[in-house]
Amino acid sequence: MTVLIAGGAGYIGSTIASACSDAGISPVILDSLVTGRREFAASGTFYHGDIADGTLIDRIFAEHQDISAVIHAAALIVVPDSVADPVGYYGANVAKSLQFAAHLLRNGCRRLIFSSSAAIYRANADLTVDEDSVIDPQSPYARTKAVCEAMFADIAGAQPMRVLSLRYFNPVGADPKMRTGLQLRQPTNVLGKLIQARKQGAPFLITGTDWPTRDGTGIRDYVHVWDLAAAHVAALDRFDALPGPTTAINLGSGAGTTVRELVAAFNQVTDQPVEAREACRRPGDIAGAYTRIGRAERLLGWRPQYDIAEAIRHSLQWAALREEILPG
Ligand SMILES: NC(=O)c1ccc[n+]([C@@H]2O[C@H](COP(=O)([O-])OP(=O)(O)OC[C@H]3O[C@@H](n4cnc5c(N)ncnc54)[C@H](O)[C@@H]3O)[C@@H](O)[C@H]2O)c1
């Protein structure tokens, strides 16, 4: 089987490409390198270009007539940037996805897997969500994902292309074989900040200790990026057995981890523990949420294999190797 992975030189897309390749599926990678890295495109045939470029998409399908599915992981993903530049974000994530869909239909694509996000949900009072939770995106970035899902659902209702939206929670970790990881030098997620605090010997700030969670700190559902990638392999395998022209499946660990719990797990893994200090909430912070993973288990036969300690270990390993693998 051959799969086209748009955004396949990014953090998640490149991990999916490695997982496909390890599973005997040939990845063809399309990426504009706007945030991705050429070094991450080593596991498949690489095309440097834009998802909206119809001539390029036609060429890719002409040169790979055995492409049987497309994974669309190409997007801009920085929430504050989307607040500052909604036109740019709707253009990059929605308008280009629409053009991409038209190019895929013209080339006979029947199976599309879309990288969506848990950010589209409003959490229940107990901070859980599932696929039936209310869709209520809180940022332009999250709205681009919800709009794309709705747009793809309309297309799948009218055209012979079926669409699976995989809604990711909080991806962490790196390829366990260290081929790829987060390309950013200074990741801004909580784990990235912990790694930075450890490196600098500086305290780590827990921002917000009065949330309605078991210990007052924010809760997230961290899912190892390799587990995410494995879910895509399972989805490719089971695609034709999915229930409708469109299906949505949450991909998370199924358990929440609070910031205090993450710090404790981090300090158990590392030989250089980080000191945590408490601080006030920051504007825009949220209590967070975690998902029930029953649908992923039922439809994909997928369960995450890696726990948070392994994700931390792989992130630390990747942080130590990053400069060597991604110079400059
Ligand atoms: N990282 C997360 O926390 C997270 C959470 C939920 C969902 N997602 C989704 O997963 C997908 C991958 O995210 P990521 O974390 O790997 O981000 P990333 O920035 O590492 O990867 C995105 C890739 O898409 C490429 N790209 C962007 N626009 C393109 C275009 N028009 N044409 C071709 N290539 C283009 C970039 O160069 C990059 O390689 C995105 O769709 C994102 O919305 C990410």
Side-chain angles (χ1 to χ4, degrees):
M1 188 197 290
T2 299
V3 62
L4 172 62
I5 306 176
Y11 170 51
I12 297 170
S14 64
T15 319
I16 296 170
S18 295
C20 284
S21 177
D22 289 0
I25 300 167
S26 305
V28 173
I29 295 167
L30 165 65
D31 202 295
S32 65
L33 302 181
V34 60
T35 56
R37 295 289 303 232
R38 190 178 283 275
E39 296 89 333
F40 282 0
S43 63
T45 311
F46 177 53
Y47 291 86
H48 181 192
D50 201 287
I51 56 168
D53 180 345
T55 308
L56 176 61
I57 309 299
D58 292 348
R59 178 155 77 87
I60 293 172
F61 275 85
E63 290 175 0
H64 300 275
Q65 295 187 6
D66 52 349
I67 289 174
S68 56
V70 175
I71 296 174
H72 176 14
L76 301 181
I77 69 160
V78 182
V79 171
D81 290 356
S82 77
V83 175
D85 180 21
V87 173
Y89 264 68
Y90 280 98
N93 291 1
V94 177
K96 287 190 179 191
S97 289
L98 179 60
Q99 288 174 277
F100 190 40
H103 304 325
L104 295 182
L105 286 168
R106 186 174 63 249
N107 282 284
C109 169
R110 297 283 179 270
R111 301 178 188 90
L112 177 66
I113 298 178
F114 175 58
S115 295
S116 190
S117 170
I120 66 174
Y121 287 123
R122 184 195 307 158
N124 301 327
D126 65 357
L127 302 181
T128 64
V129 294
D130 62 22
E131 290 82 356
D132 296 321
S133 296
V134 177
I135 304 294
D136 183 21
Q138 294 296 312
S139 70
Y141 162 72
R143 267 187 289 278
T144 68
K145 292 279 140 183
V147 171
C148 278
E149 279 204 23
M151 183 172 86
F152 288 137
D154 285 339
I155 293 169
Q159 302 282 343
M161 181 169 78
R162 304 174 76 215
V163 182
L164 168 63
S165 292
L166 295 176
R167 297 172 178 162
Y168 311 156
F169 280 66
N170 299 86
V172 282
D175 170 19
K177 293 186 184 159
M178 295 296 130
R179 289 165 288 194
T180 59
L182 264 179
Q183 64 272 46
L184 302 174
R185 186 170 284 124
Q186 297 193 332
T188 52
N189 63 5
V190 184
L191 183 52
K193 285 186 180 160
L194 271 166
I195 292 174
Q196 224 174 311
R198 172 182 176 269
K199 191 172 164 194
Q200 296 167 346
F204 168 79
L205 289 186
I206 300 180
T207 47
T209 53
D210 56 351
W211 294 106
T213 60
R214 50 186 170 258
D215 63 18
T217 65
I219 197 161
R220 299 287 182 273
D221 187 334
Y222 298 103
V223 57
H224 195 294
V225 69
W226 188 258
D227 282 322
L228 272 191
H232 291 72
V233 174
L236 289 168
D237 192 39
R238 298 202 178 192
F239 194 95
D240 291 343
L242 293 172
T246 54
T247 308
I249 299 178
N250 289 352
L251 295 180
S253 69
T257 303
T258 68
V259 180
R260 280 192 220 282
E261 289 164 353
L262 184 70
V263 174
F266 187 85
N267 283 341
Q268 281 200 334
V269 167
T270 173
D271 50 355
Q272 286 168 256
V274 164
E275 180 205 342
R277 288 195 193 151
E278 297 185 2
C280 298
R281 293 181 187 185
R282 297 160 312 172
D285 279 352
I286 50 165
Y290 60 99
T291 184
R292 288 185 279 269
I293 55 171
R295 190 181 290 184
E297 286 181 338
R298 208 170 56 253
L299 295 182
L300 303 181
W302 173 87
R303 270 197 79 82
Q305 300 299 312
Y306 288 106
D307 65 14
I308 190 72
E310 281 160 319
I312 293 168
R313 211 169 286 125
H314 288 146
S315 295
L316 283 165
Q317 233 179 311
W318 173 258
L321 283 171
R322 189 205 160 279
E323 293 294 324
E324 197 183 304
I325 296 172
L326 298 179

